[in-house]
Amino acid sequence: MARIAVIGAGMGAMAAAARLAVAGHRVTVYERAATYGGAVGRFERDGFAFDTGPGLLHLPAVYRDLFVKTGKEPLERCVEMAQVDPAVRHVFADGTAVSLPNASRAGVVSALDEALGAGAGERWGDFLTRARDAWDRSRRPLLEEPLPADVSPLRRDPYPALKTGLLRRKATTLAEVGRRELRDPRLAALLESYALAYGFDPATAPASAAVLPYMEQTFGSWYVTGGVRALADAVYERCRARKVAFVFGAEVTRVVAKDGRAAGLELADGTLVDADQVVAGAPIPALYRDQVLEWESQDEWPRHQEAIHTGRVTLCLALRGARPADAVHRTVVHSTDRADELDGLAHGRLCDRPTVTVLRPDDERLRPDGDHEAITVTATVPAGGAWASENLWGEGGADAGVSAFADRMLEAAEAAVPGLRERLLWREVRTPADTFRETGTYQVPGPALAGAGGALLPAANPAPLPGLHFAGGWAHPGGGLAHAGMSGALVAGLIVEGAAFRGSQ
């Protein structure tokens, strides 16, 4: 039985902790905050409750596997889940709208043909076929296995070149895929919205980001009753049931090394914790920045941290009036000026007309009664140092800039919720500054993607210091709820089975 110390109680760290405890190890989690879940947070006020992180679950098989492998009680006995149908409604800049069914390629093709004109669905279907090729080529090394020592094959983009005449022309970015292959600004906006949702700029994201819409439209979107925070509750309780110990309010200030390997932790109060293995589930850039970890060369810095410059603004909205029975769970309202939006992401400024995602779940646990509604509105924005800079906000400073941007988000969201501003009781605005306060970084990491010269490959799970492993969104296979669960599985496998572990077969 090994003593394993875990830094942070995020989803990836808890997934690793539960699996390691089942394998017979003594696991203790040290979390600087007062609660668990990391980015999967909850805001509550006046009987309303809101997810402050992801609001939907994709690839639920990841958490089904976690619960099967860590106990007799399956996931569905611990949380209630249901497929969201329609999966999403899109409202485009010209006012055209389309609702896409959940996990039905034929249904998506038909809906696009009806809303956007004959041929639109076929072009999207052909694109998904090419996206499936990229998925098949990258799925195992990017999701199911530890990163190989030689990552050079993953630096090449697996998205296939499109044959035009006698030649094959290979797109280099997702935006280029939209222009060349979809040939309709609305279809291009639909494609790019998936990149934006994960924090990628479509103008620089590799063509392999095509796997993002493929993954969602193939495996579906799921809602957890009570919000995704209920999933974090279930994972925490599973850890407790497997005798994982949690110490909250315990800030780790240093990973202790002895004889060239990780040997424990030092806490802010000076306490030294001995350990045979250490799992770091906190954001890796923050660990290096705060010198919890020290590096011998800049090569140890996470590869994709410089490529991630986006965060999220989230509005938690308390509304008077009942949710209409025909309301759509998720609506994406596209920017009326896509060029300005993408230019703003590239140059660290807020745009005038952001693309917003509106989530309005029909969930009695999130509202005080049936005469009210709780919804969230999110937008992808520049983050990093730019967020803390007054240059981002212009005259009036940050407070005025945040309020003005929130007003613009509300205006856009009215395309999904008619009469929104008249129904509004109050709003809570959450910015990348809140993300920084809670996680130590302004950015929200995206999933690992092949191509782009390897710039979007996160840190490998085995750290440069022997005896230390990385889990969570800043480690392989990257950010996102499902990816965090996968990282926990990979870390547990590497610790239990050693460096020869190659993932589930």
Side-chain angles (χ1 to χ4, degrees):
M1 178 195 302
R3 299 165 301 174
I4 298 178
V6 180
I7 304 173
M11 297 298 282
M14 290 197 295
R19 290 175 183 269
L20 288 167
V22 167
H25 299 298
R26 193 169 69 215
V27 184
T28 303
V29 178
Y30 297 88
E31 168 57 55
R32 68 173 187 169
T35 189
Y36 49 86
V40 182
R42 171 65 58 91
F43 175 75
E44 298 182 5
R45 174 181 162 188
D46 300 339
F48 294 89
F50 308 86
D51 281 324
T52 58
L56 293 173
L57 175 62
H58 306 295
L59 292 177
V62 172
Y63 287 92
R64 290 192 180 107
D65 182 71
L66 170 64
F67 276 71
V68 166
K69 298 290 177 57
T70 59
K72 298 178 181 179
E73 201 170 21
L75 176 63
E76 278 79 358
R77 288 187 185 174
C78 300
V79 296
E80 299 176 32
M81 295 194 309
Q83 285 190 310
V84 176
D85 204 1
V88 60
R89 179 173 180 257
H90 288 268
V91 180
F92 298 106
D94 65 355
T96 307
V98 60
S99 293
L100 303 181
N102 196 14
S104 170
R105 177 167 171 173
V108 167
V109 168
S110 177
L112 289 173
D113 273 339
E114 182 177 350
L116 307 186
E122 181 180 3
R123 290 196 299 277
W124 184 261
D126 290 343
F127 154 74
L128 284 183
T129 297
R130 293 185 288 275
R132 182 185 62 197
D133 289 344
W135 168 264
D136 290 342
R137 295 174 187 176
S138 60
R139 174 179 57 86
R140 283 199 64 81
L142 279 188
L143 293 178
E144 299 175 1
E145 299 177 345
L147 275 177
D150 179 12
V151 298
S152 57
L154 295 176
R155 295 191 177 106
R156 297 189 292 271
D157 198 314
Y159 186 79
L162 181 65
K163 187 174 182 179
T164 56
L166 298 177
L167 302 176
R168 287 189 177 272
R169 301 176 60 201
K170 192 171 182 65
T172 59
T173 68
L174 194 68
E176 193 174 4
V177 171
R179 289 193 303 270
R180 284 186 183 180
E181 302 178 21
L182 299 178
R183 302 191 306 278
D184 182 317
R186 295 165 298 183
L187 286 179
L190 170 61
L191 172 61
E192 292 177 358
S193 69
Y194 288 92
L196 286 172
Y198 283 96
F200 296 120
D201 179 351
T204 58
S208 66
V211 301
L212 301 177
Y214 172 80
M215 180 177 67
E216 181 175 317
Q217 292 191 8
T218 301
F219 303 108
S221 300
W222 298 73
Y223 178 69
V224 180
T225 302
V228 171
R229 178 65 185 183
L231 178 63
D233 294 341
V235 174
Y236 172 71
E237 292 301 332
R238 176 55 53 92
C239 286
R240 291 290 304 274
R242 298 300 166 260
K243 309 302 181 185
V244 175
F246 286 82
V247 183
F248 294 106
E251 181 181 359
V252 176
T253 56
R254 183 167 64 98
V255 172
V256 177
K258 183 178 180 180
D259 299 327
R261 63 176 291 111
L265 306 175
E266 182 176 352
L267 306 183
D269 64 2
T271 300
L272 294 177
V273 176
D274 293 329
D276 302 302
Q277 299 271 357
V278 174
V279 176
I284 300 172
L287 293 174
Y288 279 111
R289 181 198 64 223
D290 297 339
Q291 298 185 334
V292 176
L293 301 174
E294 296 182 0
W295 67 89
E296 296 180 359
S297 72
Q298 195 68 19
D299 291 340
E300 294 181 16
W301 193 260
R303 276 185 289 267
H304 74 338
Q305 79 91 22
E306 294 295 343
I308 296 174
H309 298 286
T310 62
R312 294 192 184 102
V313 172
T314 299
L315 308 184
C316 303
L317 306 180
L319 305 184
R320 62 173 64 87
R323 179 186 187 274
D326 60 351
V328 175
H329 188 114
R330 176 173 53 152
T331 302
V332 177
V333 182
H334 292 264
S335 172
T336 54
D337 191 341
R338 287 172 54 229
D340 179 63
E341 180 175 38
L342 297 183
D343 182 77
L345 286 177
H347 295 95
R349 64 174 179 81
L350 297 176
C351 67
D352 289 333
R353 298 291 180 181
T355 294
V356 299
T357 299
V358 181
L359 295 182
R360 49 190 316 197
D362 185 9
D363 190 340
E364 61 183 13
R365 301 185 189 181
L366 305 184
R367 58 193 182 225
D369 53 51
D371 293 326
H372 294 85
E373 185 179 4
I375 74 172
T376 60
V377 181
T378 60
T380 297
V381 296
W387 189 263
S389 171
E390 292 299 323
N391 294 332
L392 186 68
W393 306 112
E395 294 184 8
D399 290 342
V402 168
S403 180
F405 188 71
D407 288 343
R408 299 199 294 274
M409 290 176 63
L410 275 178
E411 182 180 354
E414 282 201 292
V417 187
L420 171 60
R421 283 176 286 188
E422 288 72 23
R423 294 179 58 197
L424 184 62
L425 290 171
W426 50 261
R427 73 187 189 189
E428 173 75 12
V429 184
R430 293 179 51 85
T431 73
D434 296 292
T435 305
F436 181 86
R437 186 182 67 254
E438 295 170 359
T439 69
T441 65
Y442 293 100
Q443 300 97 332
V444 177
L449 293 176
L456 297 177
L457 297 177
N461 303 116
L465 178 66
L468 173 67
H469 286 82
F470 293 135
W474 289 92
H476 178 70
L481 197 55
H483 292 71
M486 294 175 192
S487 79
L490 292 174
V491 165
L494 287 165
I495 291 176
V496 172
E497 299 186 27
F501 173 72
R502 297 314 303 162
S504 58
Q505 301 297 323

